[in-house]
Amino acid sequence: MLQSIITVKNLVKKYGDFTAIKDISFEVFEGEIFGLLGPNGAGKTTTLEIIETLREKTSGEVYVDGFSIDTGPEQIKRRIGVQLQSAGYYPNLNLSELIELFSGLYGIDVKPMELLEKVALTDKAKSKYKALSGGQKQRFSIATTLINQPKIIFLDEPTTGLDPQARRNLWNLIQDIRQSGTTIVITTHYMDEAEVLCDRVAFVDSGKIIGIDTPDHFIDTLVASGFERKKEVKKANLEDVFIHLTGKEWRED
Amino acid sequence: MDNNRSYSHTRATLAIAKASFRSIVRSPSAVVFSLAFPLIFIVVFGFIGGGGIKLKVGIAPQSDTSNAIYQALKNIKVVKLINESQQEMTTDLVKGRIDAILNIQKNPQKLPAYFLNAQYSEASSDKGNILKSMLNTILVSINNRAVHGPPPIAELRETTLKGREYKTIDFILPGQLGFSLLSSGVFGTAFVFISLRITLVIKRFFATPVKRSSIVLGEAISRLVFSLIGALIIILIGHFLFRFTLINGALTVLNMLALSALGLIVFMGFGFVVSGIAKNESSIPPIANMITLPQFLLSGTFFSIEAFPSWLQPISKALPLTYLNDAMRKVAFEGAGLMDVKQQLLIMLIWGIAIYALAIKVFKWEE
């Protein structure tokens, strides 16, 4: 039986005259990977930040693990992990010092090395965040979302700008985190990524949800309607060729 | 996850303070501005200062030097007699490099036995006046001895109280310390908050249960600790290497540190305002310089404000650094306690209240 862990009801967000989110409603179930898909400016990040209690809503209701964002933002913050799009970290600190800082901010004791081990960054413990590669930065960002052992983590375009190896490596990490029982809400531009990772996806366009279902069901419905790809579908694509030729190992380390 | 355990804001505040302190210590500009910069000035002034007044007196080439007046001048410590060509001497006098030219001539008509021709310069009128009264004193005593006239009506009996020597370092060090606190408070605070805001570090903090007050307090604690360590280093180097006067020893140091803390807190208020007004990191220096530069020049950092023209003095007397410098010097040299400088403290406090009221209005947490 699916238990809802996030409930969004009739959410509206206005910036002056512009309505960024137009009355959206959806649920995220416990333990699933839920994808918010859509073009830039569709309102994915705004929706995410309202749920994360980082942005004020104009109207509507949002519940996270039973707490309303209006009355229990502190409770929610303690139950979620947040990765922001393009966020930096405190300057001049190395990774284990950054984890120490976050552990103080959450009021939770963590061993930096254990956490870094989860994201395969133990050898970078003494490096500065700025000195990491793109894939390492994203892995570290994900590590910081796990510090408070959250029930839900939010990942905002975690794979944007990564090379195929780093991207697939991150997929594995995200699947491992879900395996340990954490619910994941993710935004992405990449449909192949959503197809591999997400149990359910919602398509967001111009501030509205225009469809919400499992990737398989979306595809089956489209095919049943008589849709056919212009090009004959092959059993592999060019990215498979790239990975096959260059190897699966991460290039960044 | 144990959600019932109470969240500690103190722990979060200290975590930020620790992170911030590590970051400051590793940032070259903070170390240069808070320590290296003031120490360079202190070293420079420490070596060139301490001489007191010197009167440079040129002796004209054709002057008679075998007389009592010349010998008397030669024995006065503060007078330095200079021999060079007439032409050089005149140029030096006009430019104020020497303070007077003396030409002592024998009088062929017997009495008075000598004529003392003295030439002064407007370029150095202060020292010229000192020399004038010195020459008068010499002449009076020589004339009295020569005449064997009636006993003098009154005799001057001079005593000089033994006082503390006010060295250049005693003036310069408090000024440099004050300026170091000003630049650390304004520049440091403004840069930290704008960069944390632009790089979304603060936004990421907001996704944790930390309070805004913990962020501000944590940053303030680290800057305070860093600046007070810096102040202590400056004071100790000044004292042990350049004989900076600490009239009541350790107590004076503690009082100076208390003043430093108050000064820094006030100046950090300016930093919060600058970080709120500035659009990005590169617009900080012009705005921050508008606050620090006038105080650097007009608050008695290098020159006593009494030396400024009277129309400039009201401006000097409006600036907070003036009062920090003033209080610092009174505490260090005169041994004043904090209660003795309460007027200065009060004015700084008023500045603090005004600037924090403004900071609350203009400070921005997010873009």
Side-chain angles (χ1 to χ4, degrees):
Chain A
M1 147 136 201
L2 294 173
Q3 185 83 34
S4 160
I5 195 163
I6 297 173
T7 309
V8 177
K9 277 187 208 161
N10 307 112
L11 182 65
V12 175
K13 174 67 184 179
K14 287 182 182 168
Y15 295 105
D17 291 339
F18 173 69
T19 309
I21 297 174
K22 298 164 186 160
D23 191 18
I24 66 172
S25 301
F26 64 91
E27 281 181 315
V28 176
F29 301 128
E30 203 162 349
E32 73 173 343
I33 300 182
F34 183 85
L36 278 172
L37 314 180
N40 279 332
K44 304 185 299 283
T45 300
T46 305
T47 306
L48 230 51
E49 290 185 354
I50 290 171
I51 301 171
E52 293 159 356
T53 74
L54 296 178
R55 213 179 270 266
E56 297 280 320
K57 63 180 165 50
T58 305
S59 66
E61 286 170 65
V62 178
Y63 296 92
V64 179
D65 198 27
F67 293 93
S68 160
I69 58 168
D70 299 315
T71 54
E74 296 311 311
Q75 295 299 327
I76 293 174
K77 284 175 191 198
R78 292 164 69 164
R79 286 166 168 75
I80 63 171
V82 172
Q83 185 218 26
L84 298 170
Q85 217 182 97
S86 71
Y89 289 89
Y90 208 99
N92 299 325
L93 300 186
N94 66 37
L95 300 192
S96 56
E97 289 165 345
L98 284 170
I99 291 171
E100 193 188 323
L101 166 61
F102 275 104
S103 100
L105 294 177
Y106 281 108
I108 283 171
D109 295 310
V110 264
K111 295 203 171 67
M113 287 317 254
E114 280 177 18
L115 191 67
L116 289 173
E117 203 180 332
K118 284 188 191 170
V119 294
L121 282 175
T122 44
D123 55 332
K124 297 285 174 185
K126 299 286 172 210
S127 303
K128 305 273 164 71
Y129 176 76
K130 274 187 181 168
L132 302 181
S133 72
Q136 290 168 337
K137 279 182 177 162
Q138 292 300 356
R139 291 213 303 275
F140 179 72
S141 280
I142 291 175
T144 68
T145 69
L146 300 175
I147 287 173
N148 55 334
Q149 294 155 296
K151 284 193 161 181
I152 312 159
I153 64 170
F154 296 87
L155 308 176
D156 198 356
E157 296 187 16
T159 60
T160 299
L162 300 187
D163 67 26
Q165 275 91 354
R167 209 156 71 101
R168 283 170 189 234
N169 168 240
L170 214 61
W171 293 353
N172 290 337
L173 176 61
I174 291 168
Q175 280 163 334
D176 286 348
I177 293 168
R178 193 265 295 274
Q179 217 60 51
S180 67
T182 310
T183 308
I184 297 168
V185 180
I186 185 170
T187 72
T188 180
H189 292 301
Y190 306 116
M191 295 307 127
D192 60 333
E193 183 167 296
E195 204 179 323
V196 171
L197 286 178
C198 297
D199 298 303
R200 291 190 311 135
V201 297
F203 287 99
V204 187
D205 192 26
S206 315
K208 281 185 189 152
I209 288 189
I210 51 177
I212 183 162
D213 211 328
T214 64
D216 261 351
H217 198 258
F218 268 125
I219 294 165
D220 290 346
T221 312
L222 185 65
V223 170
S225 73
F227 176 88
E228 271 183 50
R229 279 195 183 180
K230 283 184 187 137
K231 205 169 157 186
E232 195 192 333
V233 181
K234 295 178 182 171
K235 286 190 173 164
N237 63 18
L238 195 56
E239 185 166 308
D240 296 323
V241 176
F242 180 86
I243 296 286
H244 183 73
L245 289 175
T246 58
K248 262 193 167 171
E249 321 75 56
W250 322 329
R251 291 309 172 87
E252 56 211 12
D253 299 276
Chain B
M1 184 171 64
D2 179 10
N3 283 318
N4 296 322
R5 203 177 44 161
S6 67
Y7 178 77
S8 164
H9 288 292
T10 313
R11 182 177 169 185
T13 307
L14 292 178
I16 292 173
K18 187 173 178 185
S20 168
F21 186 77
R22 279 173 164 159
S23 187
I24 295 178
V25 174
R26 289 172 196 169
S27 119
S29 66
V31 177
V32 166
F33 275 101
S34 309
L35 268 182
F37 202 58
L39 280 177
I40 287 168
F41 276 105
I42 286 166
V43 168
V44 167
F45 284 97
F47 281 121
I48 66 168
I53 295 177
K54 270 268 184 267
L55 299 173
K56 289 184 191 159
V57 178
I59 299 297
Q62 66 274 31
S63 173
D64 183 291
T65 55
S66 59
N67 54 69
I69 304 166
Y70 182 83
Q71 290 308 321
L73 279 173
K74 221 178 160 181
N75 290 332
I76 297 174
K77 257 195 208 158
V78 295
V79 174
K80 193 176 175 218
L81 299 178
I82 288 165
N83 296 302
E84 40 185 25
S85 80
Q86 184 67 48
Q87 203 188 346
E88 276 178 304
M89 215 175 271
T90 312
T91 322
D92 283 352
L93 182 63
V94 170
K95 293 189 174 164
R97 280 190 288 227
I98 62 175
D99 307 303
I101 299 176
L102 289 186
N103 186 354
I104 307 168
Q105 291 297 330
K106 264 201 173 119
N107 184 1
Q109 275 118 38
K110 298 280 165 139
L111 275 174
Y114 294 96
F115 287 123
L116 181 54
N117 302 303
Q119 238 185 327
Y120 304 104
S121 162
E122 280 181 0
S124 168
S125 58
D126 288 356
K127 289 185 178 176
N129 285 332
I130 297 173
L131 189 67
K132 239 180 244 177
S133 63
M134 204 178 276
L135 289 174
N136 272 328
T137 316
I138 295 172
L139 291 185
V140 166
S141 76
I142 290 177
N143 289 344
N144 278 349
R145 262 184 278 156
V147 173
H148 302 300
I153 297 166
E155 190 185 313
L156 180 64
R157 291 183 169 169
E158 288 172 308
T159 48
T160 307
L161 289 178
K162 189 152 176 55
R164 282 192 292 281
E165 184 193 358
Y166 189 59
K167 299 180 288 289
T168 314
I169 185 82
D170 292 323
F171 184 83
I172 285 297
L173 190 141
Q176 287 305 313
L177 185 53
F179 188 68
S180 150
L181 295 166
L182 177 69
S183 42
S184 166
V186 179
F187 278 90
T189 309
F191 270 116
V192 162
F193 277 93
I194 209 159
S195 93
L196 296 186
R197 185 174 91 207
I198 288 174
T199 58
L200 303 185
V201 171
I202 288 187
K203 192 170 186 178
R204 178 66 183 85
F205 282 2
F206 284 169
T208 77
V210 73
K211 273 192 192 166
R212 292 178 173 201
S213 54
S214 294
I215 300 176
V216 172
L217 204 61
E219 288 292 341
I221 290 171
S222 84
R223 192 153 295 279
L224 208 55
V225 170
F226 176 77
S227 290
L228 291 187
I229 292 173
L232 191 63
I233 293 173
I234 290 172
I235 293 169
L236 293 181
I237 289 182
H239 181 66
F240 289 110
L241 294 186
F242 300 104
R243 294 172 42 241
F244 173 66
T245 309
L246 292 169
I247 199 67
N248 295 323
L251 181 66
T252 302
V253 175
L254 284 179
N255 280 340
M256 287 180 80
L257 291 181
L259 287 176
S260 301
L262 176 67
L264 185 75
I265 290 168
V266 173
F267 298 143
M268 280 178 61
F270 287 95
F272 286 121
V273 171
V274 174
S275 86
I277 299 172
K279 290 269 177 294
N280 50 49
E281 280 172 313
S282 58
S283 59
I284 287 179
I287 304 174
N289 277 327
M290 270 165 49
I291 294 166
T292 56
L293 221 62
Q295 307 204 55
F296 185 57
L297 298 172
L298 300 179
S299 289
T301 304
F302 287 108
F303 329 98
S304 167
I305 61 168
E306 274 94 52
F308 293 139
S310 53
W311 58 269
L312 206 53
Q313 294 205 13
I315 301 175
S316 293
K317 283 181 179 154
L319 302 172
L321 183 60
T322 304
Y323 295 92
L324 179 64
N325 285 344
D326 194 27
M328 248 349 154
R329 288 178 182 131
K330 282 200 159 68
V331 164
F333 188 73
E334 295 170 23
L338 292 181
M339 280 315 286
D340 303 321
V341 291
K342 57 178 180 289
Q343 193 207 344
Q344 287 86 340
L345 295 182
L346 188 70
I347 292 171
M348 284 163 65
L349 213 61
I350 292 169
W351 264 104
I353 292 167
I355 202 70
Y356 276 94
L358 182 63
I360 287 166
K361 276 203 171 3
V362 302
F363 188 74
K364 279 194 286 213
W365 285 101
E366 291 179 68
E367 289 302 297

